[in-house]
Amino acid sequence: IVMVPIAKKLGLGAVLGYLFAGSLLGPHVLGLVSDEHENVMHLAEFGVIMMLFLIGLELRPAVLWKMRGPIFGLGTLQVLLTSFAFFLLSLVSGPPWQSSIAIGLTLAMSSTAIVIKTLQEKGALKTDGGEAAFAVLLFQDIAVIPILAVFAFLAYSLTGSNETFASDLPAWLQTLKFFGAILGVVLAGKWIIRPTFRLVLGSQIHELTTALGLVVVLSTSALMTYVGLSPALGAFLAGVVLAESEYRHQLESDIEPFKGLLLGIFFISVGSQINFALVAAN
């Protein structure tokens, strides 16, 4: 409450205010919050999930289809070029090529939560640049799965251990599982979620529509986590499926307060993990 207005006044944005507040409260500065932040983090991540759901609600399937060029063209270009640049820098520093590839792929990723929150604050999300940035972020969420598969292969080639490399499902079955989950969300949106909303809205009990909105977000996120995809990607997909429904505005007004509060807690949780002494020592 104190740090965010100060950060906004200085022109730094709300995200840096939350991060700085978290670093002050965390175990490495004032120690007002213990270092057992994992449980808080799991809860706070729902802020990111709900943010992606709300963005999905604003993107009709036709609009998303139009964005396929920037998502796969610009997104692929960003991940490959950034990965290659950091791979070369890492290779020069000394680690083996397998580790350098892993470092390059890791540093090519961005924080969807921080970038989108910053773009929204500056009113830039609807601009050409903002849409291009969002397309890249969306591709990164999709790219995480093949990148994890590459990590398993790199670990195998580096150590000779097949514990992570051979124990997973075959690639074709993994792909089938991913597409099956996505198709399941699309079909459920049309044949289950929409009729259920119609039924619940007919009861005219406001808290039921809020509860149902939360159930939709959490269940699609849980399904995507189960098959190995990003939970935020699942929530985004659910939002896109419901973007053309007549309940879109009702859902937005119901989910928005939860999103804002949990997103703030998410940034504070991230900030509390910043160890300035460790950064200075290294």
Side-chain angles (χ1 to χ4, degrees):
I1 292 169
V2 173
M3 295 309 305
V4 172
I6 292 173
K8 292 270 284 183
K9 195 80 174 170
L10 295 171
L12 301 174
V15 174
L16 277 175
Y18 283 125
L19 291 172
F20 191 61
S23 65
L24 285 177
L25 293 168
H28 306 297
V29 183
L30 297 177
L32 298 176
V33 179
S34 73
D35 56 0
E36 294 176 6
H37 46 67
E38 285 300 317
N39 291 333
V40 177
M41 217 39 193
H42 285 311
L43 171 70
E45 280 170 4
F46 285 117
V48 181
I49 288 166
M50 288 172 185
M51 178 180 69
L52 266 294
F53 176 71
L54 289 174
I55 289 171
L57 279 176
E58 295 176 10
L59 280 175
R60 297 186 309 281
V63 176
L64 190 64
W65 180 249
K66 282 181 184 175
M67 289 176 67
R68 67 189 186 280
I71 290 171
F72 292 100
L74 200 60
T76 304
L77 203 62
Q78 183 273 321
V79 170
L80 289 178
L81 291 178
T82 311
S83 299
F84 186 65
F86 281 115
F87 162 73
L88 290 178
L89 282 170
S90 176
L91 205 59
V92 170
S93 305
W97 65 267
Q98 294 95 330
S99 301
S100 296
I101 290 175
I103 288 166
L105 289 170
T106 303
L107 293 176
M109 298 293 106
S110 315
S111 168
T112 302
I114 290 177
V115 176
I116 289 179
K117 177 74 173 166
T118 306
L119 288 171
Q120 283 176 336
E121 274 184 27
K122 296 183 182 299
L125 195 57
K126 300 291 185 185
T127 64
D128 290 343
E131 287 181 358
F134 176 68
V136 170
L137 291 168
L138 204 54
F139 178 81
Q140 288 180 0
D141 281 340
I142 298 167
V144 166
I145 301 303
I147 285 172
L148 289 175
V150 170
F151 281 2
F153 175 76
L154 293 171
Y156 174 71
S157 67
L158 194 61
T159 63
S161 167
N162 65 356
E163 187 179 338
T164 55
F165 182 55
S167 60
D168 293 329
L169 291 171
W172 68 269
L173 202 57
Q174 285 274 28
T175 307
L176 200 64
K177 188 172 71 169
F178 299 151
F179 282 111
I182 291 168
L183 184 64
V185 171
V186 172
L187 293 177
K190 188 173 182 180
W191 300 109
I192 299 173
I193 299 171
R194 288 188 187 183
T196 308
F197 263 109
R198 200 172 296 121
L199 186 70
V200 169
L201 282 169
S203 69
Q204 296 185 330
I205 302 173
H206 181 71
E207 59 267 27
L208 280 183
T209 59
T210 305
L212 183 57
L214 291 171
V215 166
V216 168
V217 174
L218 299 182
S219 56
T220 50
S221 300
L223 173 66
M224 289 300 167
T225 305
Y226 178 72
V227 300
L229 288 167
S230 158
L233 191 63
F236 171 76
L237 186 62
V240 171
V241 169
L242 294 171
E244 289 182 327
S245 74
E246 60 270 37
Y247 323 115
R248 182 166 71 94
H249 298 297
Q250 178 74 43
L251 275 167
E252 282 178 336
S253 61
D254 287 344
I255 300 293
E256 184 67 45
F258 293 96
K259 185 267 292 185
L261 191 61
L262 287 171
L263 204 57
I265 296 171
F266 171 78
F267 291 128
I268 292 168
S269 303
V270 172
S272 71
Q273 296 174 58
I274 301 170
N275 186 342
F276 292 107
L278 188 69
V279 174
N282 293 275

